[in-house]
């Protein structure tokens, strides 16, 4: 990448000047009107050499190999400024045009990563609290892959908890399972509507009625012990529910390599308990099996991790620990990362500590919880329906389609569900990903859906516009040349985009990439407004423009692919 080329020249000069092995690095200029890159390292270098910083910087600049691409100069007190000549800009642009990675280098060290995101709960309707995980997870997966990691995605469905017993018991009490439990009547078809009614009803009853709750716990245990007919009925419930979850994730553009759930780790639970007991980590507290995980000097109280309830049932932490054991026997990832609500931080701290203490996770393995913030309403509180209920994912998807359709209509595009979904989802994703992952943000769909400004639809619109110009061009592009600041700014925006892939990878973030993608789209819009492209008379210039469009198209496509934003056919 461009940065390395400049650093190489600088460091060759450092060596030539006899200033030792210390390496200088550069960053984007904080004053772009003065230069493109700057090096701040001469202060530290001069200090180790016991020399005057300005003199060190000047000597380095004087000794840089002569070239016609970069202009180096010293600014007081001891900065080295670098300006790229038009020759360098054009050369870089033409290189990226030929490179399928658009000039972005892979990360040197490739790791095997297991990404745990999605996390929908079987038998419960997906709701807004589950929305950020598939959005962030899908993009991080794509970013890691693009940067050279081997990534496996696992949806890790919540399918082994109390909601199973609650739902099944409710269906039973409503007389819908007599075929299985009493051999009466004909086999019923378990439907989504039945589940959507049963779980909320049971969940409310559980809070008001202790004996119902106890019974549901017993049913959950029967399911976990694979007792019949509890287990077979459970599997039917799971199937209906998973079908719906798959549909929703598909609409959101989240794809998974594994459709495992907590239940898939069930067979590892006994082994987890044995490992913990053999290591002397387990103790009984009020009948339950627990592991102490608090560390000395810790300020926040850290309760012990609950491994087995008094009745023998497994808990949320148990299935997560068992899943790590399973993953380490099958995939052996270098890192396992969880894209889960930040409010589950305590849970993951407990799980990770149990795994490290017991050796279930080897010392070298990185276990990371990427806790995301909450989607709030305009009142700054978690986004709710008008009546104060949690918003169902299904309703959000419908809302996205409705609002995007209205926008399209005002642009003269007739109703097209697929297209509206593409745009609505893009709006939501960009609105989400352009924030810091760990921060709360306000879910403001009208703002996210604007076709102008920092939004997903604006990026899509830019890409669509480029595609439509290119479709009309009936000639190939030529070498990219620099005619004005419009091209210079586009190519510099590409440098920033390239470097944002790398910095986002290092920081496990996506907001920098969102911004850099927007900046590229904005510089393109300026170019587009200032120039006639297909009607340009000068052939060399016209062909340069066509190539420039191809380059922007490629770079945008790379970024939008990582952001998991589709490029529509029309808008
Ligand atoms: N099902 C969980 C929930 O709804 C999320 C699962 C997150 N992943 C995990 N490995 N614990 O809260």
């Amino acid at each position: 990448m461009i940065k390395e080329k400049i650093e190489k020249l600088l460091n060759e000069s450092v060596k030539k000047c006899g200033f030792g092995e210390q390496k200088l690095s550069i960053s984007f200029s904080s004053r772009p009107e003065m230069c493109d890159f700057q090096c701040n390292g001469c202060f530290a270098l001069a200090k180790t050499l016991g020399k005057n910083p300005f003199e060190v910087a000047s000597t380095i600049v004087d000794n840089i190999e002569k070239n016609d691409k970069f202009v180096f100069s010293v600014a007081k007190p001891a900065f080295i400024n670098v300006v790229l000549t038009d020759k360098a800009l054009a050369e870089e642009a033409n290189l990226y045009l030929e490179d399928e990675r658009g000039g972005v280098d892979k990360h040197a060290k490739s790791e095997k990563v297991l990404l745990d995101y999605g996390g929908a709960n079987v038998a419960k309707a997906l709701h807004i609290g589950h929305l950020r995980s598939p959005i962030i997870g899908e993009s991080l997966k794509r970013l890691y892959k693009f940067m050279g990691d081997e990534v496996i995605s696992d949806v890790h469905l919540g399918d082994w908890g109390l909601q199973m017993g609650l739902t099944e018991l409710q269906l039973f009490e409503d007389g819908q399972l007599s075929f299985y439990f009493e051999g009466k009547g004909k086999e019923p078809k378990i439907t989504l509507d039945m589940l959507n009614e049963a779980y909320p009803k049971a969940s409310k009853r559980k809070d008001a009625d202790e004996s119902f709750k106890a019974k549901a716990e017993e049913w959950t245990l029967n399911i976990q012990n694979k007792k019949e007919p509890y287990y077979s009925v459970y599997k039917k419930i799971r199937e209906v529910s998973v079908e719906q979850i798959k549909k929703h994730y598909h609409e959101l553009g989240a794809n998974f390599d594994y459709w495992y759930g907590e239940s898939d780790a069930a067979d590892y639970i006994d082994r987890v308990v044995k490992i913990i007991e053999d290591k002397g980590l387990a103790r009984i507290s009020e009948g339950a099996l627990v592991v102490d995980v608090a560390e000395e000097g810790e300020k926040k109280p850290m309760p012990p991790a609950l491994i087995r309830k008094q009745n023998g049932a497994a808990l949320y932490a148990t299935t997560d620990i068992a899943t790590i054991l399973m993953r380490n026997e099958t995939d052996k990832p270098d890192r396992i990362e969880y894209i889960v609500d930040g409010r589950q931080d305590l849970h993951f701290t407990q799980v990770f500590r149990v795994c490290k203490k017991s050796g279930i996770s080897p010392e070298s393995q990185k276990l990371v919880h990427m806790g995301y913030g909450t989607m709030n309403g305009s009142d700054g509180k978690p986004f709710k329906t008008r009546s104060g209920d949690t918003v169902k994912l299904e309703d959000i998807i419908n809302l996205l389609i409705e609002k995007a359709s209205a926008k399209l209509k005002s642009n003269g595009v007739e109703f097209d569900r697929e297209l509206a979904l593409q745009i609505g989802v893009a709006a939501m994703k960009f609105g989400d990903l352009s924030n810091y992952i760990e921060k709360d943000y306000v879910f403001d769909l009208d703002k996210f859906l604007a076709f102008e400004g920092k939004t997903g639809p604006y990026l899509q619109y830019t890409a669509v516009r480029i595609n439509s110009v290119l479709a009309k061009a009936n000639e190939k592009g030529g070498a990219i040349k620099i005619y004005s600041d419009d091209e210079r700014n586009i190519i510099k925006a590409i440098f920033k985009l390239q470097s944002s892939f790398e910095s986002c990878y290092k920081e496990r973030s996506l907001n920098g990439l969102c911004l850099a993608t927007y900046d590229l789209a904005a510089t393109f819009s300026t170019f587009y407004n200032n120039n006639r492209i297909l009607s340009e008379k000068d052939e060399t210039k016209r062909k340069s423009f066509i190539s420039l469009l191809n380059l922007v198209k490629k770079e945008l496509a790379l970024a939008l692919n990582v952001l998991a934003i589709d490029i529509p056919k029309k808008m």
Side-chain angles (χ1 to χ4, degrees), residues 116-121 124 127 130 155-159 262 316 320 323 327 338-340 344 347-348:
D116 182 316
Y117 64 94
N121 294 319
K124 296 194 207 175
H127 62 81
H130 281 116
V155 69
H156 198 77
L157 299 169
D159 65 354
E262 295 166 343
Y316 187 37
D320 260 326
T323 303
R327 288 169 178 165
Y338 297 82
I339 322 299
V340 183
Q344 294 195 20
H347 163 76
F348 284 104

Side-chain angles (χ1 to χ4, degrees), residues 19 23 28 34 56 88 90 96 103 113 136 143 175 188 204 210 221 268 317 348 357 407 420 424 479 492 497 550 571:
F19 289 162
K23 292 271 178 283
F28 286 105
M34 280 184 60
V56 167
Y96 307 154
V113 193
I136 299 165
L143 176 66
K204 266 200 197 107
E210 269 303 318
L221 190 61
Y268 289 79
F348 284 104
K357 281 178 116 169
K407 280 265 164 192
K492 288 176 195 177
L497 181 67
N550 273 312
M571 259 176 102

Side-chain angles (χ1 to χ4, degrees), residues 311-344:
N311 71 1
L315 294 117
Y316 187 37
T318 329
T319 49
D320 260 326
I321 297 165
T323 303
I324 293 179
L325 179 62
M326 175 174 93
R327 288 169 178 165
N328 284 341
E329 293 199 347
T330 51
D331 294 306
K332 302 187 177 35
D334 299 310
R335 328 197 291 262
I336 306 180
E337 296 187 7
Y338 297 82
I339 322 299
V340 183
D341 196 318
R343 290 169 290 192
Q344 294 195 20

Side-chain angles (χ1 to χ4, degrees), residues 289-461:
L289 188 80
V290 304
V291 175
D292 289 313
V293 288
E295 285 172 3
E296 232 170 277
E298 222 163 22
K299 290 219 173 66
K300 269 200 283 180
M302 180 58 63
L306 269 163
I307 307 295
R308 225 163 213 174
K309 279 201 202 170
Q310 190 162 16
N311 71 1
L315 294 117
Y316 187 37
T318 329
T319 49
D320 260 326
I321 297 165
T323 303
I324 293 179
L325 179 62
M326 175 174 93
R327 288 169 178 165
N328 284 341
E329 293 199 347
T330 51
D331 294 306
K332 302 187 177 35
D334 299 310
R335 328 197 291 262
I336 306 180
E337 296 187 7
Y338 297 82
I339 322 299
V340 183
D341 196 318
R343 290 169 290 192
Q344 294 195 20
D345 199 43
L346 181 87
H347 163 76
F348 284 104
T349 306
Q350 291 179 318
V351 166
F352 296 169
R353 286 187 185 176
V354 172
C355 289
K356 289 298 178 195
K357 281 178 116 169
S358 61
I360 287 171
S361 164
E363 219 174 299
S364 61
Q365 184 173 60
K366 282 173 241 154
L367 299 175
V368 184
H369 170 214
M370 303 212 36
Y372 53 79
T374 312
M375 278 178 164
N376 286 333
S378 50
D379 58 357
K381 299 205 185 98
F383 194 79
K384 291 259 161 75
T385 62
R386 237 168 244 165
S387 57
D389 294 327
T390 36
V391 186
K392 291 209 196 81
L393 187 61
E394 177 132 45
D395 297 332
I396 295 178
I397 289 176
N398 289 335
L399 192 67
L400 292 174
I401 293 173
E402 186 191 307
K403 293 207 176 226
S405 296
K407 280 265 164 192
L408 284 169
K409 197 170 168 197
S410 65
N411 273 14
V413 181
E414 61 187 74
F415 180 75
D416 177 337
R417 186 184 187 273
E418 274 308 298
L419 181 64
L421 183 66
Q422 261 184 344
I423 295 170
V425 167
M428 181 175 70
K429 285 186 174 176
F430 191 88
D432 187 303
L433 298 173
S434 51
N435 296 286
Y436 286 100
I437 292 174
E438 62 280 11
K439 291 256 169 72
D440 299 349
Y441 73 91
V442 175
F443 185 68
D444 183 349
L445 258 191
D446 291 316
K447 190 174 120 198
F448 296 170
L449 262 167
F451 279 21
E452 282 294 324
K454 287 183 188 155
T455 68
Y458 171 66
L459 298 182
Q460 289 180 310
Y461 190 68

